[in-house]
Amino acid sequence: MAPGLFITFEGTEGSGKTTQVEMLGEWLASRNPVVVREPGGTELGERVREVVLYAGLEIDAEAEMYLFMAGRRQLIAEVIAPALAAGQIVVADRYHDSTLAYQGGARGVPAIWPSTFPRPHITFLLEGPVENGLQRHVAAGKAPDRMEQESLDFHKKVAAAYGVIFPGLAGIGDTSARAAFVIGLDGVVKYAEQTATPKDLPNFAAIKAAI
């Protein structure tokens, strides 16, 4: 059986990740992709989402990181790993790079990539001024969650952390073969690193062109 394909989307708040994930999911509909979001996707993940984003709790930064990672590990066990083993395409709206950027970069918590977390084959980073993304949420009438309510300085730290991760994937211990793309809010690919793209990635060029 052909190996699955794991695609992740990253970015600051309001950068357009979810829209792009939905578009790619629709474009790949004939391939029956598995589309997931974080936190969420499992009963545990949805409970973590409620606690971390909407319960109004004061949460220690390291505790916050482990809550996100617990939900992620459950999502891997229940959904991502079985889908990849079955040769399916998995498209994720956020994954572990979010923890490296938000909790590691912005909150200053020591963050690593656990060996039991599968590495994505392709990651797209949606990049743009953080002010614009936050304003998008306001214009859309979206009630801000706990992360979105953080200060502008916090969101700029997140953006800066993503800037360290992309390019320079090896800088955070990610030595896996991964193709990375940084895309501006205008849709222009600003940076592309195809580190060692496996030959078995299906329709790689088409996936890039579809974003």
Side-chain angles (χ1 to χ4, degrees):
M1 179 179 294
L5 175 63
F6 190 14
I7 305 170
T8 61
F9 283 78
E10 294 288 347
T12 53
E13 305 301 328
S15 59
K17 297 179 293 56
T18 301
T19 299
Q20 295 297 326
V21 167
E22 292 172 351
M23 290 173 61
L24 183 57
E26 293 173 2
W27 183 77
L28 293 171
S30 64
R31 302 287 296 276
N32 192 30
V34 175
V35 180
V36 298
R37 70 172 183 177
E38 285 208 11
T42 66
E43 182 177 356
L44 175 61
E46 293 299 330
R47 293 190 181 190
V48 167
R49 186 181 189 87
E50 177 63 29
V51 168
V52 175
L53 298 182
Y54 300 108
L57 301 175
E58 290 290 332
I59 303 176
D60 172 79
E62 190 168 358
E64 175 186 85
M65 181 181 74
Y66 289 129
L67 284 167
F68 277 122
M69 290 176 66
R72 182 170 303 125
R73 179 56 220 172
Q74 192 68 24
L75 182 65
I76 291 167
E78 287 190 29
V79 181
I80 295 175
L84 293 176
Q88 291 181 275
I89 298 174
V90 177
V91 182
D93 184 348
R94 292 202 182 281
Y95 189 57
H96 196 62
D97 287 307
S98 285
T99 287
L100 298 175
Y102 279 75
Q103 285 73 51
R107 299 226 191 272
V109 178
I112 63 169
W113 195 296
S115 61
T116 58
F117 284 20
R119 309 257 185 187
H121 297 109
I122 306 171
T123 298
F124 294 97
L125 173 66
L126 281 296
E127 185 183 67
V130 295
E131 297 91 338
N132 292 5
L134 295 171
Q135 288 169 5
R136 272 205 192 102
H137 283 322
V138 173
K142 181 180 181 294
D145 62 33
R146 180 172 161 274
M147 303 302 289
E148 293 162 353
Q149 291 175 22
E150 288 286 353
S151 68
L152 182 60
D153 181 63
F154 171 85
H155 291 290
K156 288 184 175 181
K157 287 180 180 178
V158 172
Y162 274 127
V164 173
I165 299 170
F166 303 94
L169 293 170
I172 49 95
D174 184 354
T175 57
S176 64
R178 172 156 57 151
F181 298 90
V182 178
I183 305 174
L185 293 178
D186 54 4
V188 175
V189 176
K190 301 170 65 178
Y191 166 80
E193 178 178 316
Q194 193 168 331
T195 54
T197 309
K199 294 180 181 179
D200 56 11
L201 296 186
N203 296 322
F204 178 82
I207 290 173
K208 175 186 173 183
I211 302 303

